[in-house]
Structures are given as structure tokens and as C-alpha cells.
Amino acid sequence: MTDAITEAYNQECLSPDSRLRDVTSRLKLPAKLAAAHGAGSLPRPLFLAEREIREFTDDLKGFFDLLTALPERLFDGNVDRYADAVGVSPRRAALMKRLGVAPILHGRADLHHDGTSFKLLEFNVGTHLGGTDRAEVLRLHLEDEAFRSFAEEHRLDYAHTGSQIIDVLRKLGEQVTGGSEPVIAFVEADGGLAPYMHLVLSFQEMAARLGMKILLAEVSQVTSKDDKLYLDDTPIDVVLRYFSTNQLCADGRDGAEAEPFFRAHEAGKTLLYTPLDGLLFEQKTSLALLSDPEWRGAYTAEETELIDRLLPWTRLLTDGETTADGERVDMLDYCHANRADLLLKPGGQDGGRGIVSGWTVDDRTWREALASGNGKEWLVQRRVVPRNEPMVDPETLQIRDWQATWGMFVTPHGYGGFHIRALPADLDGILWLGNVPHVRKTGVFHYAAPDKEA
């Protein structure tokens, strides 16, 4: 059922003299923000009850604690055994645990809302995330007279992701500087800046508006002297990490270029935010260790309830038996028979790379995908059909349904806003490289709702 705020917004957009329906197209975006997010926006933001955000954030924090405790709970604290179980190579695992394993609660949970509650599709742990500047568009919505009037009437508010990140970086940097304004460097892997430069410059522009200058660099441009990092002759106090172990270990490399960053962090002269340990737990295969009843003896009844509340049915794609629909079944036989309800995912990829959605392919393609993906680096997950998000098309004045992937940011502050990516409901609802031209984006305003909505 559509919530009351969405219903009110859509009804206003359908009125003949509405000033709301074209608000997104008339926003006055700064240059870099316009280059990053000026095109491809949904006609309106999404709206969500503050209560639902608060409750899910509490659940997500609890889930993060369970996720990051997997080595202790299931492998007697042996991180290498855990890494092997989720398909992380020894070379990558060595980099991930180089500074210890105590991940910071900072990341983006990608979710589908099934009409009743959010379900967790994957959890990207760390700072290497897109969409953190999207909240600037929400800020500008409130500078539009028509939208501001609607927001004031319905008491709408939003979380500014970028503001939270800048605050965390500033406080972290002051540990190095003794209280003065720190120097922050956004550091990507070599060759990593150019493909996303329009997004990086938008982040830099946002930070400048918030009073922080952000330097941009790739790993090989950063030098070290006496365990202090520099960009050219400028000393760096905090590195905002955007490089990953996949990048560091590409082409058979061992990631040695990251060692100066580790030493600087250990010396306390340049801090790394976030370290690489979070990457141990953003493997999609990690979710299977929580979902699979084979491991349920490691969790309390309350923890099991939390896992089942958040996660759809998720399993490592391996030979043998598993539990599905309350019965013992052969894994591959079950996957073959339930193609239309399942997705096959590679554990260590992002951006939808490698995902095969069973309901969009024929039996032969599905069989071939299962055969090639069989192993602990792959998982199979039950499809979560997203609820429809009705939008008034500003040109046709017709309501069109969209289906959204909700990217919820969490930071040390807690809830950090949403980055919404959506597809027309008549497409398959899974964001992947092939349907990127159809994707539209927006953010989320929240509202007070005393009663649980239907």
C-alpha cells in the first residue's frame, strides 16, 4: 500500500497547476553536482516513515555485529579459515587483516522493500561507496519554494550523508593534528579516478561547501617520509580510502604499494579511513554463513530471528544437501527446479557484475550458470520482489510504477541517508550493467508516523 505522503505528493503532481511535478528538473545544481547527478533523476524523492528507518537501523547495527563476529562464532577466531570459507584468497586476506580485524560501522546496505519490510541483498562495508553526495540534491529540493512548502506541511526531513562523512573525517584528523583542521586525501587505486571523475569531483565540491578541502590522488601518487604520507609536498592527515584489495591484487600483484599506508596508520601520522578489514565482511558469500541453518547453533534465538527478518534465503552454491522451504533438498536440484525465484551471484564482485537472475534466462542458460558458478566463491539467493513506487511522469501526467534498490548508508553516527537507484517496474528489478541506461536515481525524505503503516 502506498504511504500517505507519497499519495499526497502524487495527487498534488496530478493537479493542473502543480509546481511539484517538475521540481527535479528545475533544481539549480552546482556545476560538479550537475555533471554527476543532473541527468537520470526520478521525478520525485521517495518517502519513508522515520520509525521504519530507526527500527531498521537498529536491526542493521545488530546484523553488522553478527557479520563481523563470524570468524569468532564459526571458526574459533581464525580469520584465515573464515576467509577461505567465503572465497577470499590468502593474498587478499593478508591485506585485509594487515591492520587487525576490528571493522568500523561504515557502509551501505543495498535493500529491497517487499511491501512489508526491507530485505538485505548485500552489505558494502567500508568507505569505497558511490552516492554519498546525493544528499546535496535533497538539500536543494528544500530551496525550491513549492517543494519546501510541501515539506513543511508534512514535516519532512533527511539525513545528509556527506555531512556525516565530513564530520567523521574532521574528528579523526584532529587526532593527528591536535585539533587544527586536517588535510584529507581521497585516494583511489591507480587508474581508478578517471572512470568516476565526475562523481569524485561532485564529492569534492560538496566537501568544499561543507568547509573541507579534499585532495584527490591515486595510490602511486602518494609518497611516504618517516611514515607520514604526502601528496607532492603536502602532508596528509587522513586518507579517505577508495582502493580495494581486488584492485591492489589485480594482474597477480601482491598489494605491496599499500604498505606505506599501513605503516603511516600504525604510526598514527596519517590515518586510513577505513582500513581494509571491512572488505572481509562485504563478501556476498558471508551472508550465506548467516542464512544457512547448518550454522544456527552459533546464534541465540533472538539473533536467529534478526537474521531471518533481514536476509532472504541465501546459500553457498556447493554440492550436497541444504535446507529450503523447511525441507532437506539437494542444492543443485533445488536450484534447477526453482530458477524463476533465484539469483546467482559472485561473492566478490560489485556493480551487478556476474549476477544471473533466473527469471530472465532460459533453462539452458541457468544450468550453464550453475555449472560455472558452483563453488564457495558463489552464492544463490532467493529473489525479493520490490514493491512498486508510483511516480507521476511530468510529461505525460500518467502514473508509472518503478522498483527501487534502497542503498542505506550507515556511519559512526548511525543512519546516514539513502541513495536510491530504480528501474521501471516492467524491467526485471535487478540493477546490472546491461540495464544501466534505464536506471534513475533519487534520495529519501523521512516523516514522522506514529502508527505502523499497512
Side-chain angles (χ1 to χ4, degrees):
M1 180 178 177
T2 304
D3 64 89
I5 306 300
T6 297
E7 187 70 26
Y9 194 93
N10 284 346
Q11 287 301 313
E12 172 61 26
C13 288
L14 289 171
S15 65
D17 57 349
S18 173
R19 291 283 292 156
L20 278 183
R21 64 173 170 259
D22 59 350
V23 63
T24 299
S25 63
R26 68 170 180 264
L27 295 179
K28 298 177 181 178
L29 308 184
K32 304 299 189 300
L33 183 64
H37 300 295
S41 291
L42 283 165
R44 65 166 176 84
L46 299 189
F47 306 106
L48 192 64
E50 183 179 17
R51 166 200 46 75
E52 187 167 6
I53 292 174
R54 183 176 61 253
E55 291 175 356
F56 189 82
T57 301
D58 288 343
D59 276 353
L60 193 61
K61 289 178 179 178
F63 188 88
F64 177 82
D65 290 341
L66 290 176
L67 182 66
T68 55
L70 282 172
E72 185 66 34
R73 293 287 187 99
L74 305 185
F75 301 98
D76 299 321
N78 190 313
V79 175
D80 291 330
R81 286 176 55 205
Y82 161 77
D84 180 67
V86 296
V88 176
S89 70
R91 182 176 57 198
R92 289 166 55 222
L95 289 173
M96 292 175 184
K97 65 179 186 175
R98 171 62 178 79
L99 292 173
V101 181
I104 297 165
L105 179 61
H106 190 126
R108 191 190 69 221
D110 287 347
L111 319 167
H112 277 173
H113 199 297
D114 65 6
T116 300
S117 64
F118 283 117
K119 298 298 182 184
L120 179 66
L121 309 179
E122 56 188 75
F123 198 172
N124 304 286
V125 181
T127 47
H128 50 291
L129 305 168
T132 55
D133 57 335
R134 186 82 214 185
E136 284 288 272
V137 181
L138 298 180
R139 176 180 66 83
L140 293 170
H141 270 77
L142 293 176
E143 294 185 2
D144 180 90
E145 182 179 356
F147 190 89
R148 183 172 64 251
S149 176
F150 181 87
E152 290 173 351
E153 178 184 356
H154 296 281
R155 295 184 297 166
L156 302 183
D157 202 355
Y158 72 102
H160 197 293
T161 313
S163 179
Q164 290 191 18
I165 293 172
I166 296 305
D167 182 67
V168 169
L169 292 173
R170 180 172 282 120
K171 289 179 179 177
L172 185 63
E174 288 172 354
Q175 297 178 24
V176 179
T177 66
S180 59
E181 185 72 358
V183 175
I184 311 295
F186 178 118
V187 181
E188 248 285 9
D190 290 348
L193 281 178
Y196 305 103
M197 185 59 78
H198 60 302
L199 302 175
V200 175
L201 292 176
S202 178
F203 180 88
Q204 187 184 49
E205 179 184 69
M206 173 188 67
R209 186 191 67 78
L210 293 167
M212 176 173 283
K213 180 180 179 181
I214 299 283
L215 306 179
L216 304 180
E218 294 184 346
V219 167
S220 65
Q221 295 174 309
V222 176
T223 58
S224 176
K225 181 179 180 181
D226 297 326
D227 291 334
K228 177 74 173 179
L229 301 183
Y230 292 80
L231 180 60
D232 297 326
D233 294 325
T234 303
I236 301 169
D237 299 312
V238 176
V239 166
L240 177 59
R241 179 189 62 77
Y242 265 74
F243 54 86
S244 70
T245 53
N246 283 347
Q247 292 169 311
L248 293 173
C249 294
D251 303 319
R253 292 179 290 122
D254 62 3
E257 61 266 40
E259 186 58 28
F261 293 82
F262 299 145
R263 291 199 303 267
H265 184 90
E266 288 173 322
K269 296 181 179 181
T270 301
L271 300 180
L272 190 60
Y273 189 78
T274 53
L276 293 169
D277 53 349
L279 298 177
L280 279 164
F281 303 100
E282 75 163 20
Q283 305 294 311
K284 298 178 183 67
T285 41
S286 301
L287 302 181
L289 300 186
L290 290 166
S291 175
D292 195 331
E294 297 294 337
W295 303 97
R296 286 300 166 86
Y299 309 112
T300 66
E302 184 179 9
E303 290 168 344
T304 298
E305 182 181 353
L306 171 64
I307 292 167
D308 290 341
R309 189 161 63 243
L310 267 63
L311 270 184
W313 182 92
T314 306
R315 300 288 188 272
L316 294 176
L317 185 62
T318 54
D319 294 324
E321 289 190 341
T322 188
T323 302
D325 306 320
E327 299 180 353
R328 296 295 295 175
V329 297
D330 179 85
M331 169 66 78
L332 293 179
D333 287 347
Y334 182 83
C335 292
H336 286 304
N338 292 272
R339 169 178 59 80
D341 297 321
L342 301 174
L343 301 95
L344 179 63
K345 298 182 177 183
Q349 295 292 336
D350 55 18
R353 295 174 180 85
I355 291 178
V356 181
S357 49
W359 60 95
T360 67
V361 299
D362 58 25
D363 285 336
R364 178 180 177 180
T365 303
W366 182 245
R367 284 196 305 271
E368 291 173 350
L370 290 173
S372 63
N374 193 359
K376 62 190 175 185
E377 295 182 10
W378 290 79
L379 63 85
V380 63
Q381 188 174 74
R382 180 164 289 138
R383 179 188 189 187
V384 179
V385 179
R387 72 182 186 186
N388 287 337
E389 309 291 344
M391 305 270 173
V392 176
D393 187 308
E395 296 182 0
T396 67
L397 301 191
Q398 299 296 310
I399 291 182
R400 185 181 191 185
D401 286 332
W402 292 74
Q403 293 182 339
T405 296
W406 301 64
M408 175 189 268
F409 293 105
V410 285
T411 75
H413 290 278
Y415 165 63
F418 279 101
H419 175 45
I420 300 296
R421 295 161 292 166
L423 287 167
D426 55 358
L427 296 182
D428 67 29
I430 296 297
L431 298 175
W432 60 291
L433 297 179
N435 60 29
V436 163
H438 301 282
V439 173
R440 297 295 180 267
K441 302 175 183 179
T442 191
V444 173
F445 282 92
H446 58 260
Y447 59 90
D451 299 319
K452 191 173 182 66
E453 296 184 348

